[in-house]
Amino acid sequence: MTTSRAPETSAPPRARRGAVLGASTIAALGGLLFGYDTGVISAALLYIAPEFALSDGMQQFVVASLLLGAIVGSIGAGPVVDRIGRKVTLIILSAVFSAGALLSALAPETSILVLARILLGLAIGGSSLVVPTYIAEIAPPTLRGRLVSMNQLMITIGIFASYLVGYAFAGSGGWRWMVGLAVVPSLVMLIGLFTLAESPRWLLSRGRTEDARKALLRTHSAADADASLAEMSEAMREESKFSYRDLLSPKLRPAVLLGFAVAATNQLVGVNAVIYYAPTILKQAGLGDSAAILSSVGIGAANMIFTMIALLFIDKVGRRPLLLGGTSVVILVLFGLGALYLLPSVHGLGLLLTGGLMLYEAAFAASLGLAIWLINSEVFPTAVRGKAAGVGTVTHWGLDFLISISVLTLINALTPTGLFWIYGLLGILGLVYLWRNLPETKNRTLEDIESSLRKGKRA
């Protein structure tokens, strides 16, 4: 019976591949907006600070206000995405992105700007959970690593684009244009989402088996769709209805701890200190406003290019080699950056720092940058993926907030050397945990990964 329906409902292989790529690209615009809205403040802050007469503390608060919203968004998105679905949640988030961008551009004073950034944070926090979850649930196992990692690629493209826009408006000091242009991709995402199918795994979890099969046939052959449905159904029969309390049960604890560790390491190596404050750090090292912003463009380019390179290898080399190797390089560079400030009368410190930060971003992009969203989208059972992935995203945004609100204060208290070396030491702790506990997940179904984690199998 299933075979007889295949010619009518199953698209040819090239069309299926195009469908999953197109759907992943539209969803991943949430990642582009994530990157743009977090990165654009680095250049805009140089002009917002004098216009609104912001102290160092208030500058940190303007940056961190977005992250307060992101914490709330990542917490709230978990139960919402499991209740109303991945697609509808993404539509709501794209509308919030548009509203936040417009309000940021029109802000007449600091309090309105902070409110707008909190609104943007809600959308960023929610999309950081929902986008990789949706892509992971529509992608075939052989393409899942590359497609989920497209979210991180879009984040780096968004950051790079924000640096380019910042440099373009640096001469005029047009920070309102810098923050307001985010409305363009948010509207494109909003329109595109209406053409997508809902996640088949979510549809099946709601008892909509035939709808789930139709959604799978957009991206799978008829035989693969039926096999996937059978595998998902079997996995769901073994799962009970979980609550947040159940996330620490023996069955889920290994996956939850792993998601927490990846997210914590991602932040504790200080990546967002670089993204938010690179122009400020470089300006303190002797570069002018335009030169500091231009240098940050190079840092953003390294981030984007090495994310692209990593995407080519993530489903061939695997998660463990890239994550562990790249994190090791990140740690070494952090200690090197700290050591630069100890050399007496360093000539061209700004250029040396720019080169070091580019190497740092390249290594981060190919490892921890990809891992946080990919691992959190792969290791949790379907029925609780929204709630469980929220642990990783809340950890990410909570630590991001603490880092963003403390960077300038720590530089003043500990010097830049102390700041970079603290990040390096914290990175070592994360690397040791991941080396011991991170499984290899390439070319494995989500249900197989879940089963092996429950049984205590690591690599």
Side-chain angles (χ1 to χ4, degrees), residues 67-84:
L67 306 171
L68 286 175
I71 294 170
V72 176
S74 60
I75 293 172
V80 170
V81 75
D82 284 338
R83 179 176 294 273
I84 68 173

Side-chain angles (χ1 to χ4, degrees), residues 70-200:
I71 294 170
V72 176
S74 60
I75 293 172
V80 170
V81 75
D82 284 338
R83 179 176 294 273
I84 68 173
R86 287 43 166 159
K87 175 181 174 178
V88 175
T89 304
L90 284 172
I91 289 173
I92 294 170
L93 291 172
S94 61
V96 176
F97 269 123
S98 299
L102 288 174
L103 188 60
S104 296
L106 299 174
E109 58 183 12
T110 306
S111 61
I112 303 299
L113 179 60
V114 167
L115 176 63
R117 286 183 59 76
I118 290 174
L119 196 62
L120 286 170
L122 290 171
I124 289 173
S127 67
S128 68
L129 184 149
V130 184
V131 170
T133 296
Y134 176 78
I135 295 175
E137 292 182 350
I138 66 170
T142 54
L143 296 176
R144 191 179 60 245
R146 215 170 301 171
L147 292 175
V148 173
S149 297
M150 185 188 296
N151 181 57
Q152 177 62 20
L153 175 61
M154 285 293 205
I155 292 173
T156 64
I157 291 173
I159 293 170
F160 180 62
S162 74
Y163 290 166
L164 285 176
V165 170
Y167 183 67
F169 287 99
S172 63
W175 66 267
R176 296 181 186 277
W177 282 102
M178 296 180 194
V179 298
L181 284 175
V183 74
V184 176
S186 66
L187 290 176
V188 172
M189 179 183 177
L190 178 61
I191 294 169
L193 284 169
F194 285 99
T195 68
L196 304 189
E198 180 55 89
S199 157

Side-chain angles (χ1 to χ4, degrees), residues 361-426:
E361 283 289 348
F364 179 89
S367 56
L368 288 163
L370 291 179
I372 179 173
W373 314 118
L374 180 56
I375 297 301
N376 269 281
S377 70
E378 288 184 325
V379 299
F380 302 118
T382 299
V384 293
R385 186 163 291 124
K387 294 185 179 70
V391 173
T393 52
V394 170
T395 300
H396 172 276
W397 292 116
L399 291 173
D400 192 353
F401 172 76
L402 293 176
I403 287 170
S404 67
I405 206 166
S406 64
V407 171
L408 300 181
T409 301
L410 287 175
I411 287 176
N412 292 332
L414 303 176
T415 74
T417 296
L419 179 72
F420 285 123
W421 284 5
I422 285 175
Y423 293 154
L425 290 171
L426 293 171

Side-chain angles (χ1 to χ4, degrees), residues 124-428:
I124 289 173
S127 67
S128 68
L129 184 149
V130 184
V131 170
T133 296
Y134 176 78
I135 295 175
E137 292 182 350
I138 66 170
T142 54
L143 296 176
R144 191 179 60 245
R146 215 170 301 171
L147 292 175
V148 173
S149 297
M150 185 188 296
N151 181 57
Q152 177 62 20
L153 175 61
M154 285 293 205
I155 292 173
T156 64
I157 291 173
I159 293 170
F160 180 62
S162 74
Y163 290 166
L164 285 176
V165 170
Y167 183 67
F169 287 99
S172 63
W175 66 267
R176 296 181 186 277
W177 282 102
M178 296 180 194
V179 298
L181 284 175
V183 74
V184 176
S186 66
L187 290 176
V188 172
M189 179 183 177
L190 178 61
I191 294 169
L193 284 169
F194 285 99
T195 68
L196 304 189
E198 180 55 89
S199 157
R201 282 177 170 82
W202 181 82
L203 290 169
L204 189 61
S205 72
R206 313 306 284 186
R208 297 166 59 182
T209 305
E210 190 57 34
D211 288 339
R213 187 177 189 278
K214 290 178 181 177
L216 278 169
L217 286 171
R218 289 192 176 198
T219 55
H220 293 62
S221 67
D224 287 343
D226 290 334
S228 294
L229 276 177
E231 188 173 23
M232 286 186 282
S233 297
E234 178 63 28
M236 289 178 188
R237 276 194 291 270
E238 295 176 358
E239 296 166 2
S240 59
K241 294 293 184 179
F242 293 109
S243 67
Y244 278 107
R245 181 181 300 175
D246 296 316
L247 294 181
L248 294 180
S249 67
K251 178 184 287 190
L252 293 177
R253 190 181 302 132
V256 172
L257 290 177
L258 179 61
F260 170 83
V262 172
T265 307
N266 173 283
Q267 283 303 299
L268 291 175
V269 295
V271 63
N272 283 315
V274 176
I275 291 174
Y276 301 146
Y277 295 104
T280 302
I281 292 171
L282 294 171
K283 185 177 178 180
Q284 291 177 352
L287 297 181
D289 285 358
S290 294
I293 295 174
L294 182 59
S295 295
S296 70
V297 172
I299 296 168
N303 190 7
M304 180 179 65
I305 291 168
F306 276 84
T307 298
M308 293 178 180
I309 293 172
L311 282 176
L312 299 176
F313 294 99
I314 191 70
D315 283 320
K316 298 177 181 178
V317 175
R319 283 54 156 166
R320 276 182 65 88
L322 284 178
L323 178 54
L324 300 181
T327 303
S328 300
V329 175
V330 165
I331 293 167
L332 290 174
V333 174
L334 283 169
F335 284 108
L337 289 169
L340 279 178
Y341 284 94
L342 297 179
L343 300 176
S345 304
V346 177
H347 179 68
L349 177 60
L351 293 177
L352 289 173
L353 282 174
T354 300
L357 291 173
M358 288 177 68
L359 179 58
Y360 167 92
E361 283 289 348
F364 179 89
S367 56
L368 288 163
L370 291 179
I372 179 173
W373 314 118
L374 180 56
I375 297 301
N376 269 281
S377 70
E378 288 184 325
V379 299
F380 302 118
T382 299
V384 293
R385 186 163 291 124
K387 294 185 179 70
V391 173
T393 52
V394 170
T395 300
H396 172 276
W397 292 116
L399 291 173
D400 192 353
F401 172 76
L402 293 176
I403 287 170
S404 67
I405 206 166
S406 64
V407 171
L408 300 181
T409 301
L410 287 175
I411 287 176
N412 292 332
L414 303 176
T415 74
T417 296
L419 179 72
F420 285 123
W421 284 5
I422 285 175
Y423 293 154
L425 290 171
L426 293 171
I428 290 174

Side-chain angles (χ1 to χ4, degrees), residues 10-22 217-220:
S10 180
R14 182 172 295 180
R16 293 196 300 269
R17 193 180 185 94
V20 72
L21 178 60
L217 286 171
R218 289 192 176 198
T219 55
H220 293 62

